[in-house]
Amino acid sequence: MINRTTILGQYKGTFQQPDIFGYYGHFGGAYIPEMLHPNVEELKEQYLKIMYDEGFQTAFRDLLKDYVGRPSPLYHAKRLSEKHNSTIFLKREDLNHTGAHKINNTIGQILLARRLGKHRIIAETGAGQHGVATATVCALMNMQCLVYMGEKDIERQAPNVARMKMLGATVVPATSGSKTLKDATNEAIRDWINNPVDTHYIIGSVVGPHPYPDMVARFQSIISEEIRWQLKEKTGSELPDYVIACVGGGSNAAGTFYHYLEEFSVKLVAVEAAGHGVKTGMSAATTQLGKPGVLHGSKSLVMQTEDGQVVEPHSISAGLDYPGIGPLHAHLYETGRGIFLSATDKEALDAAFELTRLEGIIPALESAHAIAGLNQLKLTPKDTVVICLSGRGDKDMATYMKVMEG
Ligand SMILES: *Cc1c(COP(=O)(O)O)cnc(C)c1O
């Protein structure tokens, strides 16, 4: 049992909730251009009222059940358990409609957008996973959908671009800078400034200005809400010894940790992408390499040069290839409430093949990082471990095929 006061020091709040300015300890807030103020303010005023309205909750839960396919199973992975000398459960977010956890958030935000009276949706996307999850709910709700995507990413991610178009979204190329995610984000923000009245911006992770990190964490918290009762059914206790999730921006981890944040007997393990190795200059291990800074509207840990230029990250998995981390996670790192590990590209690939051969489940490359984290924990047969399997591996088959061809 970890002693709460030693971890928290002077901290008086809770991990689940930022303060009224959106701060988790030193991290969070809303660092936005003046012209974005009305949009963000409106959202800040409304989001909790709307989200906890009974009608909203009914609509949200109905869609999660019948459209997404929730509750996602909590699967006792017996052969993986044997290999790692403990009892391991996989939270099967890979079985959700569209193949990952991202849909939990986009369903929530599209319902919220409707209640705010918005009929036009914008989003940014890197690899296209969040773009697809957004285009999906826009088709479902008959909303206009614009997805900003770096020109370079559009070339690299043709299948997801095709999916978004088939779903009726307009994919807008971002042609400035490095023509990748950060440029797409800039374009989306510009669009929102120009269309404040009719448009909602769906951010895809627990990043961005307050209230996005808190709002997205709450939508994703369905993951740990389910884990608690599912684990109780299977083991007699709601509390495992460890919960493990991979971290890009941190939304699947936030959802997996959420209802355990204040349960101090449960160790929260976040696995970042080390890329070629933390010290190689080709990495995305933000807590190891980052310093406090502002990225995409909030203060957090950011990979940056001495003079504050954001560093280009690297990971084999597109979803973890991000130079920042959500402010909740920066706070979990700083306070020691979270254990932060990293797995290299190679370790993640090995874990993906291990899981596939042991359990017949091909994971997303992102999720394989969480599996790889198992090797760095000193597990005993008494330990119960829950791992968030954030997504399925279909989208990563080209990478897996390259490995098999040697
Ligand atoms: C996008 C993605 C991630 C990373 O995003 P988080 O916000 O850190 O969860 C992880 N796994 C999968 C399958 C993804 O698609």
Side-chain angles (χ1 to χ4, degrees):
M1 178 92 177
I2 302 166
N3 181 334
R4 181 169 184 186
T5 47
T6 52
I7 326 176
L8 293 182
Q10 297 302 305
Y11 185 61
K12 296 284 195 297
T14 70
F15 285 104
Q16 278 187 347
Q17 234 165 326
D19 70 18
I20 55 163
F21 302 107
Y23 279 88
Y24 302 88
H26 298 119
F27 304 107
Y31 296 77
I32 50 172
E34 191 62 37
M35 290 175 75
L36 214 54
H37 214 261
N39 311 34
V40 173
E41 199 60 27
E42 179 189 27
L43 197 59
K44 197 176 96 184
E45 291 296 316
Q46 299 294 330
Y47 82 111
L48 289 175
K49 248 182 274 173
I50 293 174
M51 281 178 74
Y52 293 97
D53 169 78
E54 205 180 302
F56 182 93
Q57 278 294 322
T58 304
F60 180 53
R61 302 229 166 209
D62 282 354
L63 281 175
L64 289 183
K65 178 166 178 279
D66 296 331
Y67 188 71
V68 176
R70 303 201 74 92
S72 65
L74 185 71
Y75 166 66
H76 180 198
K78 293 197 188 64
R79 295 187 65 212
L80 188 71
S81 299
E82 209 167 289
K83 169 94 198 298
H84 291 278
N85 197 30
S86 57
T87 304
I88 300 173
F89 293 90
L90 301 176
K91 182 57 174 163
R92 300 291 308 276
E93 295 300 299
D94 61 314
L95 295 177
N96 292 343
H97 178 46
T98 70
H101 66 291
K102 288 193 171 75
I103 192 92
N104 303 326
N105 170 47
T106 57
I107 291 269
Q109 286 203 48
I110 199 92
L111 290 173
L112 188 114
R114 279 192 142 189
R115 278 165 176 74
L116 289 169
K118 314 286 179 181
H119 48 80
R120 182 173 175 274
I121 297 295
I122 57 170
E124 85 296 333
T125 196
Q129 296 300 110
H130 173 56
V132 170
T134 302
T136 299
V137 296
C138 287
L140 176 68
M141 296 288 172
N142 192 24
M143 301 261 251
Q144 191 191 346
C145 181
L146 272 84
V147 179
Y148 289 91
M149 189 169 185
E151 202 170 44
K152 209 187 255 172
D153 290 332
I154 289 178
E155 281 166 27
R156 292 193 288 202
Q157 309 290 343
N160 277 340
V161 173
R163 285 186 186 104
M164 287 184 264
K165 288 186 176 163
M166 186 165 172
L167 287 159
T170 305
V171 179
V172 187
T175 55
S176 64
S178 55
K179 303 180 172 61
T180 59
L181 178 61
K182 88 175 150 46
D183 313 289
T185 304
N186 291 338
E187 295 288 324
I189 289 172
R190 198 163 306 152
D191 180 308
W192 207 22
I193 290 172
N194 292 327
N195 300 282
V197 179
D198 65 343
T199 299
H200 176 68
Y201 178 16
I202 299 190
I203 293 182
S205 190
V206 286
V207 299
H210 177 61
Y212 279 99
D214 182 46
M215 180 169 72
V216 176
R218 286 170 190 266
F219 284 136
Q220 292 291 0
S221 74
I222 186 70
I223 298 174
S224 49
E225 185 186 307
E226 290 173 3
I227 293 172
R228 285 190 74 126
W229 64 257
Q230 289 174 319
L231 195 66
K232 171 123 194 191
E233 270 183 11
K234 288 177 197 298
T235 69
S237 169
E238 294 179 26
L239 307 181
D241 297 288
Y242 294 89
V243 290
I244 309 179
C246 67
V247 178
S251 68
N252 87 90
T256 305
F257 296 169
Y258 197 84
H259 292 285
Y260 292 117
L261 285 165
E262 314 288 336
E263 300 279 7
F264 294 91
S265 67
V266 180
K267 298 179 196 77
L268 310 176
V269 181
V271 186
E272 296 182 301
H276 293 191
V278 172
K279 295 199 173 87
T280 60
M282 295 280 280
S283 180
T286 304
T287 59
Q288 307 305 306
L289 298 167
K291 296 209 168 49
V294 172
L295 180 66
H296 299 155
S298 63
K299 187 172 173 206
S300 190
L301 293 170
V302 182
M303 288 168 54
Q304 54 192 305
T305 59
E306 292 277 310
D307 51 359
Q309 291 297 311
V310 174
V311 169
E312 198 70 28
H314 168 83
S315 168
I316 194 169
S317 79
L320 305 185
D321 199 356
Y322 183 69
I325 189 170
L328 164 64
H329 294 292
H331 182 53
L332 294 177
Y333 175 73
E334 194 183 60
T335 55
R337 177 67 188 98
I339 299 167
F340 283 73
L341 308 176
S342 65
T344 63
D345 292 350
K346 169 82 172 46
E347 288 165 342
L349 282 170
D350 290 346
F353 280 88
E354 177 185 278
L355 182 70
T356 303
R357 293 297 172 85
L358 288 175
E359 300 289 347
I361 297 171
I362 302 178
L365 266 167
E366 291 83 359
S367 321
H369 286 72
I371 307 287
L374 285 170
N375 297 320
Q376 297 173 43
L377 300 171
K378 292 188 185 71
L379 299 173
T380 73
K382 280 193 300 210
D383 288 324
T384 302
V385 181
V386 177
I387 304 176
C388 182
L389 205 68
S390 56
R392 66 178 83 130
D394 304 29
K395 68 182 180 59
D396 297 311
M397 283 315 296
T399 307
Y400 293 148
M401 278 159 71
K402 259 190 227 150
V403 174
M404 287 186 287
E405 286 157 11

